[in-house]
Amino acid sequence: QVQLVESGGGSVQPGGSLTLSCAASGNIFTVYTMGWYRQAPGIQRELVATIDAPGTTTYTDSAKGRFTISRDNAKHTVFLQMTSLKPEDTAVYVCQAEVMSRTLIEDTYWGKGTLVTVSS
């Protein structure tokens, strides 16, 4: 079994910054792509950014230029640096990881999420 635990959420004023972290632990042989999604009330879950093991990144249009995804492969951890935050960035941010277990079974895992609130 693999666990993903997010941290770093909180409340911030518009224009502010936050950095989210997500650490994977458990039965891990290797971690492939890691990503951040967000879920706002009444809105479909949205992919925010992804990063593969070599470091190639993708971003949704609303995140480009403001958010930076990075990872520490040795610690199976992914980060999301968010700057110039806007009220519409308010959501629960959820981490996802594609993991190969030590028993060579590949699966996708999700964290429980961390709340980001952008408000004045």
Side-chain angles (χ1 to χ4, degrees):
Q1 187 70 316
V2 174
Q3 298 80 38
L4 300 181
V5 178
E6 301 101 334
S7 61
S11 296
V12 65
Q13 293 186 340
S17 301
L18 280 176
T19 297
L20 307 181
S21 301
C22 171
S25 63
N27 183 14
I28 297 173
F29 176 70
T30 192
V31 181
Y32 299 119
T33 299
M34 302 184 82
W36 287 96
Y37 289 71
R38 64 187 179 188
Q39 179 84 61
I43 299 176
Q44 189 173 357
R45 179 175 286 186
E46 175 189 26
L47 174 62
V48 178
T50 66
I51 183 167
D52 64 12
T56 302
T57 60
T58 67
Y59 296 92
T60 189
D61 286 345
S62 62
K64 289 178 181 177
R66 299 188 300 127
F67 295 1
T68 302
I69 190 170
S70 60
R71 63 190 283 170
D72 183 333
N73 288 334
K75 296 182 178 179
H76 304 314
T77 299
V78 64
F79 306 94
L80 186 68
Q81 293 178 278
M82 304 184 293
T83 64
S84 302
L85 283 161
K86 305 174 182 180
E88 51 263 43
D89 294 318
T90 295
V92 174
Y93 284 71
V94 183
C95 173
Q96 182 209 54
E98 297 171 1
V99 177
M100 174 74 77
S101 71
R102 296 189 192 96
T103 50
L104 303 183
I105 295 173
E106 185 174 345
D107 207 342
T108 299
Y109 295 89
W110 295 84
K112 294 183 177 180
T114 184
L115 177 62
V116 172
T117 303
V118 184
S119 174
S120 55

